Amino acid sequence: MNIDGQPYRTIFPDPDGVSVQVIDQTRLPFAFELKRLATLDEAAVAIRTMIVRGAPLIGVTAAYGLALAMRADASHDGIDRAVATLAATRPTAVNLRWALDRVAANLRQVAPDERFDRAFAEAGRIAEEDVASCRAIGAHGGRIIADLHKAKGGAKGGDKPVTVLTHCNAGWLATVDWGTALAPVYAAHEQGVPVHVLVDETRPRSQGAALTAFELHGHGVPHTVIADNAGGHLMQHGQVDLCIVGSDRTTARGDVCNKIGTYLKALAAHDTGVPFYAALPFSTIDWTLQDGVTEIPIEERDGREVTHMTGRLADGGFATIEVVSPGSPVANPAFDVTPARLVTGIITERGVCDASAEGLYGLYPERRKAA
Ligand code: MRU
């Protein structure tokens, strides 16, 4: 997608052929910087410190990280060590494990001296597939937005925009390109369907305020940043047509795990009759899990993310300030689970389905055989 009119992806091979470049998301929205990852450790640090983040992008970065590890140690033990290092970076997004398993299985089929090339090429394929999946999610979800626009009267109804509330950043910055929850928004926008995005700021790390707002602005999509607690009120007053969120892990029964606070938005949407969709590629579905609330591991992050905030000062400098009463204990669970009963539908690259085992196996019948 575009930054200042120039198309970018979040991760791409460096021209040197032995490393990758990523957009450093810890520097956004105030500075746009690329970072080169050339080793296993650099890839692991990039994921752990959220230089790259978002479930699909974490998966692709881990795949490249495994490839980079092969330059230093392409033995079987080297594969195991690299997989263990990368798998330990972040626990909730299943795309990470999925991508590592896929690349590792590939690597074991070839001799050590072929492993770097093999893994680098496989990571590239995963990245391309992610782009294709997100584009297809955009096409399917874009139709939901276009239908809502028609229901609002279309051009005859004064061309009122469809208002979409989203949480965290499930846009192109969270994937390789296009995004999941925002892909339908971009598709609708490109087709001329008027759309307006309500962006939850998403404390504590403010991915909505910092990243979603940045990318929507960069692409010229009308949007308004709202405080995390505003969504319920706006839904009660008819100011939200639908919610679309991403997912870090989705169970076989359609429970959806996403950034902390998503569940509260789903409850409000349910209470007010606002459709609530989760948009996700197949790599986010964990077919081994049924009950998301009890089975999905929830990442607990550093309390400093709650007690401190970093921002830009009037003079252009940056500062980190304390915002919590000193000495108070804090907790920082990073994700929550929205049970399938609160989800209107799941938008995938294969189409839209009910948030249920029937719905998901209907779209992925080959998984039913494997289950
Ligand atoms: O902690 P983050 O920023 O990696 O969390 C990201 C999210 O929760 C996204 O909504 C999710 O990964 C879906 S991404 C397309």
Side-chain angles (χ1 to χ4, degrees), residues 15-27:
D16 69 10
V18 291
S19 63
V20 288
Q21 298 267 358
V22 297
I23 296 173
D24 183 347
Q25 301 194 22
T26 62
R27 305 287 294 144

Side-chain angles (χ1 to χ4, degrees), residues 101-187:
D101 287 348
R102 176 166 153 178
V103 177
N106 230 278
L107 282 179
R108 293 187 209 284
Q109 294 167 7
V110 294
D113 62 347
E114 294 173 52
R115 285 186 178 149
F116 170 74
D117 286 345
R118 182 73 164 230
F120 207 77
E122 189 64 10
R125 269 190 289 277
I126 292 174
E128 291 304 327
E129 284 174 23
D130 186 63
V131 176
S133 290
C134 289
R135 202 192 301 270
I137 287 169
H140 297 301
R143 279 194 281 278
I144 296 173
I145 297 176
D147 287 348
L148 278 169
H149 178 239
K150 271 195 213 116
K152 289 179 91 162
K156 284 194 199 115
D159 243 357
K160 289 197 202 83
V162 176
T163 305
V164 180
L165 183 142
T166 194
H167 193 69
C168 194
N169 173 260
W172 73 271
L173 289 168
T175 63
V176 178
D177 208 351
W178 288 96
T180 56
L182 291 189
V185 167
Y186 290 126

Side-chain angles (χ1 to χ4, degrees), residues 10 23-28 50-53 57 173-174 211:
T10 53
I23 296 173
D24 183 347
Q25 301 194 22
T26 62
R27 305 287 294 144
L28 293 173
M50 295 176 68
I51 287 168
V52 293
R53 28 68 52 202
L57 179 56
L173 289 168
L211 305 177

Side-chain angles (χ1 to χ4, degrees), residues 79 108 194 200 207 243 246 344:
I79 298 173
R108 293 187 209 284
D200 284 351
Q207 290 97 325
C243 302
T344 309

Side-chain angles (χ1 to χ4, degrees), residues 1-10 23 28-29 32 34 135 169 171-173 175-179 182 186 189-190 210-221 223:
M1 304 296 279
N2 291 344
I3 293 179
D4 292 336
Q6 189 176 335
Y8 272 97
R9 286 185 171 185
T10 53
I23 296 173
L28 293 173
F32 178 76
L34 295 176
R135 202 192 301 270
N169 173 260
W172 73 271
L173 289 168
T175 63
V176 178
D177 208 351
W178 288 96
L182 291 189
Y186 290 126
H189 179 71
E190 286 191 359
L211 305 177
T212 300
F214 172 83
E215 61 164 270
L216 290 173
H217 178 78
H219 218 72
V221 179
H223 62 282

Side-chain angles (χ1 to χ4, degrees), residues 25 47 50 52-58 90 93 95 130 134 166-175 179-182 202 205 207 211 245-249 257-260 262 279-281 284 299 301 334-335:
Q25 301 194 22
I47 298 171
M50 295 176 68
V52 293
R53 28 68 52 202
L57 179 56
I58 291 172
R90 295 195 70 190
N95 310 59
D130 186 63
C134 289
T166 194
H167 193 69
C168 194
N169 173 260
W172 73 271
L173 289 168
T175 63
T180 56
L182 291 189
T202 320
R205 286 189 67 101
Q207 290 97 325
L211 305 177
V245 299
S247 173
D248 289 79
R249 199 184 289 231
C257 181
N258 192 49
K259 181 54 56 190
I260 194 80
T262 302
L280 49 107
T284 298
E299 179 177 12
R301 291 189 62 86
F335 297 93

